[in-house]
């Protein structure tokens, strides 16, 4: 049975009447950037696994559609729990109709190679925040023994992973995930160097190890995988969404409110908590979660986004909204994606005082996570925000997931009415965000 609350359609519009303090308690959903990968990893075994605390979001449902199209058995136990196995997989090619839908396709290469010795995937999708190539994933597959070729819009993989050592030219969250999934079932030992440190990667490692994999994180961004011949089914609970935690924390501070975020985990939010303290926001760490509250005028901050454990790129748009309400000049320098400031034009329309600039960077190759050759003239890598400025309601169209959450947040803090179009993108990554804001006292509805 397919459970889902995902309700918005492409024409969905959110209406917000802003300037109300948000307060109360909210519970986090399962992590968007972990759930779908856990499902794909579970396909490595023909035995059933049960994965719980999955978020009811469109990104998860599109992964489930791919699994079904490949013949994999998957059923909902309840709205947030699925049971699945790789037993029914019957084809090694992800159908073309999934082209451009999400980033999920590349993660399937591991289970397909393990079962069929080959895989074919269509072009990837995901938020339009940069070029987002997968060259580091592909180089890794090739180094570890899989042949990679291109045919039209498809990428073809042949030959199981043999093992070996691969050093990522620069860390990548997704690349670490795909090679982990692909190397868990293999003949030899795989050593991955210069890997990502994101907590969602650890969620994946924990699941794979429970399934019988032998994966160890060692110091210095290194992961060692002793390949095993088979994996078995297990039960696993997906981690909570740290991006959702940041969304509600910023909502509390931007609306001068007070929100207790149940399940917010200090360990995965350290860089964010540090900035909240620097800005003068209230934080109370209590059993079972973290309370964020407004305790007086906020101060400007300087933020440089970095891969984990740094200040996460997914948080910068939300943070920029908050900094429009802080006293002084804030700076945000985005170093992970090459084009992630599109939302800032809309914040300016709301009344924010934002200027774009490109900081002088002497060692670009070292500072930026994206490939320097993918950067094009016209991309802005930093903004200056002069605050505080009152925000006015707006009529805006959502360009990508985090911008969508940012527009919502800005509308909640703004005076007057806002209309947010193309709101369906928000459901790619947030379960019931509108309903959760309603419960915290927001005047917000969908049509
Ligand atoms: N990159 C390459 N080549 C590669 C891989 C990455 O050039 O082969 C570049 C990317 O274009 C980017 C940088 O390296 O500029 C970092 O990319 P990374 O691979 O680390 O990111 P990702 O795996 O594509 C995931 C999340 C993102 C999150 C980043 C950083 C998922 C599905 N997506 O992306 O989430 O921002 O890690 O933590 O896990 C979001 O949730 O809104 C979102 C974009």
């Amino acid at each position: 049975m397919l459970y889902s609350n995902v309700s918005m359609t492409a024409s969905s519009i959110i209406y917000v009447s802003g300037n109300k303090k948000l307060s109360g308690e909210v519970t986090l959903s399962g992590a968007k950037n972990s759930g779908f990968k856990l499902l794909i990893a579970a396909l490595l075994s023909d035995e059933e696994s049960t994965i719980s605390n999955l978020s009811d979001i469109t990104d998860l449902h599109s992964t489930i559609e791919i699994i079904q199209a490949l013949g994999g058995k998957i059923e909902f136990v309840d709205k947030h729990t699925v049971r699945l196995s790789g037993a029914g997989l019957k084809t090694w090619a992800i159908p073309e109709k999934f082209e451009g839908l999400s980033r999920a396709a590349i993660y399937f290469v591991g289970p397909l190679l393990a079962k069929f010795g080959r895989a074919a995937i269509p072009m990837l999708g995901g938020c339009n925040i940069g070029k987002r190539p997968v060259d580091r994933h592909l180089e890794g597959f090739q180094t570890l023994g899989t042949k990679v070729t291109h045919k039209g819009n498809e990428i073809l993989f042949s030959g199981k992973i043999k093992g070996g050592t691969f050093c990522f030219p620069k860390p990548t969250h997704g690349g670490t995930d795909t090679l982990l999934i692909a190397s868990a079932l293999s003949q030899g030992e795989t050593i991955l160097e210069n890997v990502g440190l994101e907590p969602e990667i650890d969620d994946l490692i924990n699941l794979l190890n429970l399934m019988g994999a032998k994966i160890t994180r060692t110091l210095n961004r290194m992961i060692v995988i002793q390949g095993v011949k088979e994996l078995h089914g297990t039960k696993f609970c997906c981690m909570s969404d740290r991006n959702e935690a940041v969304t509600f924390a910023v909502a509390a501070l931007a609306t001068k409110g007070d929100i207790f975020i149940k399940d917010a985990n200090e360990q995965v939010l350290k860089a964010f908590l540090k900035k909240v303290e620097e800005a003068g926001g209230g934080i109370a760490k209590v059993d079972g979660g973290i309370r964020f509250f407004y305790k007086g005028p906020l101060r400007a901050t300087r933020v440089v986004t970095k891969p984990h454990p740094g200040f996460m790129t997914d948080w910068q748009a939300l943070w920029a909204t908050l900094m429009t309400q802080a006293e002084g000049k804030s700076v945000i320098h985005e170093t992970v994606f090459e084009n992630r400031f599109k939302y800032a034009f809309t914040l300016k329309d709301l009344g924010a005082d934002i200027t774009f600039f490109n900081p002088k960077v002497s060692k670009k190759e070292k500072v930026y996570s994206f490939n320097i050759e993918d950067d094009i003239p016209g991309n802005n890598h930093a903004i200056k925000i002069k605050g505080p400025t009152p925000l006015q309601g707006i009529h805006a169209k959502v360009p990508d997931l985090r911008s969508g959450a940012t527009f919502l947040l800005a509308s909640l803090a703004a005076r007057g009415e806002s209309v947010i179009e193309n709101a369906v993108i928000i459901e790619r990554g947030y379960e019931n965000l509108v309903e959760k804001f309603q419960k915290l006292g927001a005047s917000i509805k969908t049509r």
Side-chain angles (χ1 to χ4, degrees):
M1 182 193 283
L2 201 70
Y3 286 83
S4 178
N5 260 357
V6 171
S7 55
M8 289 196 223
T9 62
S11 59
S12 286
I13 300 177
I14 296 179
Y15 298 88
V16 183
S17 180
N19 202 21
K20 297 193 171 56
K21 284 184 188 182
L22 299 189
S23 59
E25 180 178 313
V26 66
T27 302
L28 297 178
S29 299
K32 161 192 170 272
N33 288 341
S34 181
F36 77 94
K37 300 167 190 172
L38 300 176
L39 296 189
I40 297 169
L43 298 176
L44 287 169
S45 173
D46 282 354
E47 288 178 25
E48 269 185 356
S49 288
T50 304
I51 316 284
S52 58
N53 198 36
L54 294 165
S55 199
D56 183 18
I57 51 176
T58 43
D59 260 18
L60 192 91
H61 289 280
S62 46
T63 298
I64 291 174
E65 276 178 41
I66 299 178
I67 294 174
Q68 288 169 329
L70 294 171
K73 277 196 198 163
I74 182 157
E75 60 174 354
F76 276 84
V77 177
D78 60 44
K79 202 169 67 165
H80 299 115
T81 309
V82 303
R83 207 164 24 226
L84 80 166
S85 82
L89 292 181
K90 60 178 189 315
T91 168
W92 45 271
I94 295 183
E96 211 184 310
K97 67 173 182 180
F98 294 105
E99 182 176 316
L101 264 190
S102 78
R103 312 274 317 149
I106 188 102
Y107 298 83
F108 279 91
V109 175
L112 295 176
L113 278 183
K115 189 136 224 155
F116 305 107
R118 61 197 296 201
I121 64 164
M123 216 164 70
L124 304 185
C127 281
N128 182 10
I129 51 181
K131 199 166 169 218
R132 307 192 76 183
V134 286
D135 54 314
R136 297 173 207 161
H137 305 228
L138 302 185
E139 201 185 318
F141 275 109
Q142 280 170 316
T143 307
L144 299 175
T146 298
K147 192 174 163 208
V148 181
T149 50
H150 294 260
K151 190 177 149 212
N153 272 347
E154 272 188 322
I155 311 176
L156 310 176
F157 300 80
S158 69
K160 294 188 181 185
I161 293 270
K162 293 191 180 79
T165 299
F166 177 65
C167 179
F168 287 100
K170 291 182 187 189
T172 139
H173 177 172
T176 307
D177 291 325
T178 46
L179 293 188
L180 263 179
I181 297 175
S183 316
L185 270 186
S186 66
Q187 307 274 314
E189 180 184 78
T190 301
I191 297 175
L192 300 177
E193 294 172 350
N194 203 22
V195 294
L197 299 175
E198 282 71 18
E200 292 80 7
I201 299 175
D202 291 297
D203 219 29
L204 178 63
I205 294 177
N206 290 340
L207 167 73
L208 287 167
N209 281 343
L210 276 174
M211 291 173 72
K214 296 207 167 101
I215 303 174
T216 326
R217 251 199 207 277
T218 58
L219 293 178
N220 298 328
R221 289 188 175 269
M222 187 160 115
I223 295 178
V224 178
I225 305 142
Q226 300 290 342
V228 295
K229 281 206 175 100
E230 61 180 3
L231 294 171
H232 51 77
T234 191
K235 286 192 171 157
F236 192 78
C237 177
C238 178
M239 68 182 278
S240 297
D241 198 306
R242 60 194 173 115
N243 291 335
E244 201 190 0
V246 167
T247 308
F248 289 115
V250 172
L253 300 172
T255 65
K256 301 192 165 83
D258 187 336
I259 300 179
F260 173 64
I261 307 175
K262 217 167 148 235
D263 296 341
N265 174 355
E266 184 188 344
Q267 293 311 314
V268 299
L269 291 169
K270 278 186 183 160
F272 174 73
L273 295 175
K274 199 168 154 229
K275 285 294 160 191
V276 173
E277 268 165 14
E278 213 179 297
I283 301 173
K285 296 168 198 161
V286 281
D287 247 12
I290 307 177
R291 185 182 143 225
F292 292 89
F293 55 97
Y294 183 80
K295 61 174 188 185
L298 297 167
R299 295 182 289 273
T301 56
R302 297 179 79 85
V303 163
V304 181
T305 66
K306 289 274 172 206
H308 193 76
F311 190 97
M312 203 185 176
T313 166
D314 297 350
W315 306 336
Q316 59 100 338
L318 299 159
W319 192 254
T321 310
L322 187 65
M323 288 302 99
T324 66
Q325 302 309 301
E327 278 171 19
K329 272 188 199 151
S330 294
V331 174
I332 298 181
H333 184 183
E334 166 66 42
T335 71
V336 178
F337 291 101
E338 72 271 21
N339 189 13
R340 212 173 189 181
F341 282 118
K342 278 180 270 176
Y343 70 87
F345 291 98
T346 305
L347 286 188
K348 277 165 76 82
D349 291 342
L350 269 103
D353 183 344
I354 297 181
T355 45
F356 299 88
F357 72 108
N358 280 315
K360 283 206 172 71
V361 173
S362 57
K363 289 183 180 152
K364 284 191 175 177
E365 197 56 70
K366 256 191 121 149
V367 170
Y368 290 122
S369 300
F370 52 81
N371 298 335
I372 300 303
E373 63 273 21
D374 291 333
D375 196 15
I376 52 169
N379 283 347
N380 294 300
H381 300 307
I383 53 173
K384 276 184 201 141
I385 308 163
K386 213 165 122 196
T389 46
L391 300 177
Q392 301 298 332
I394 39 134
H395 191 139
K397 197 167 176 186
V398 176
D400 63 74
L401 171 63
R402 303 292 163 202
S403 299
T406 300
F407 293 173
L408 256 190
L409 194 82
S411 318
L412 290 166
R415 289 193 200 116
E417 314 294 314
S418 292
V419 179
I420 298 170
E421 285 185 58
N422 203 23
V424 67
I425 294 187
I426 298 171
E427 288 201 342
R428 278 197 45 217
Y430 288 90
E431 175 175 343
N432 292 339
L433 189 59
V434 168
E435 290 79 358
K436 284 181 177 178
F437 276 136
Q438 278 168 348
K439 282 192 185 138
L440 293 168
S443 176
I444 178 170
K445 64 180 184 198
T446 315
R447 197 203 66 199

